[in-house]
Amino acid sequence: MSFKRSGFDVPLCSSTPKKFCTASSQRALSQPSGTAGVVKSINVKNFMCHDHFEMVFNPRINFISGRNGSGKSAIQTALIIGLGGDTRATSRGTSVASFIKEGRHQAIIQITMTNSGFKAFKPELYGNELTVIRTLSKTSTFKIRAEDGKQYPVKKCEINVSSRSLASVEVWNTQV
C-alpha cells in the first residue's frame, strides 16, 4: 500500500499488501506477547487527512517518516484519541468532531494491542488481544473487540482504566 498525497508515494506498513511490512511486524501480529498493552496495529477511517489508513507496528520501536502534511502526526493523534485521551492534549482540536475528515460524518479508530501477562485487562473476557474501537461523530462511542471477535460497548472511563492497567501503553509519551 502506498499513501498517495499531493503527487508523491510514501510506502506504509499495512496488512494489505504485506510487501511494505517488515518480517518482524508480520510476526508481531501472529505471536502473542507476554506484555499487556503493546500496540500491534492501528486502523483509521475518515480521520483527519486519512480516508483509510492501517499500520502494523513492530513490537519494539517504530519510526514514521514522510513529507510535511502526509499524516504522520495524525497517526499519533489517533493513538491518543482512540485510547480515550483528551482532545486538548493533542493540540490539534477542541472536540472529537474536529478530527473527522472534512465532508464526512463520522470517523473510526481501531487500536489492537496485546492483553496477556501480569497487567492484562480482564483477560477472562477479552482474551490475549483486544481492539479498542472509537467511533467519532458529534459525540463518540467506545467498544472493545475481544480476541474471539465479540464486541462490548464500554464507557470512556473503562477505556481510561484499561489504558492505565496495560503497562506499556504510553501514548502521551510518543515523539514527533
Side-chain angles (χ1 to χ4, degrees), residues 41-150:
S41 66
I42 185 167
N43 184 316
V44 297
K45 292 179 183 159
N46 301 325
F47 186 81
M48 295 180 73
C49 63
H50 296 292
D51 286 321
H52 180 252
F53 176 85
E54 184 173 14
M55 181 171 178
V56 176
F57 291 99
N58 183 296
R60 301 265 185 233
I61 190 168
N62 295 275
F63 296 94
I64 301 170
S65 64
R67 294 186 182 192
N68 288 345
S70 63
K72 301 176 302 293
S73 295
I75 298 163
Q76 176 191 26
T77 301
L79 284 167
I80 293 169
I81 298 301
L83 294 175
D86 192 302
T87 57
R88 291 173 297 226
T90 67
S91 300
R92 299 218 166 247
T94 56
S95 70
V96 292
S98 64
F99 294 105
I100 301 170
K101 187 169 181 166
E102 192 172 322
R104 308 296 165 81
H105 300 290
Q106 92 176 36
I108 300 171
I109 304 167
Q110 298 182 60
I111 301 168
T112 301
M113 56 189 138
T114 59
N115 191 44
S116 59
F118 176 68
K119 295 246 181 179
F121 182 69
K122 299 183 181 179
E124 66 285 349
L125 179 62
Y126 300 125
N128 290 325
E129 177 180 290
L130 61 80
T131 301
V132 175
I133 303 167
R134 186 168 188 183
T135 303
L136 310 174
S137 57
K138 290 181 181 177
T139 60
S140 111
T141 61
F142 288 93
K143 293 179 186 172
I144 294 179
R145 183 173 52 233
E147 187 175 32
D148 64 7
K150 292 181 186 173

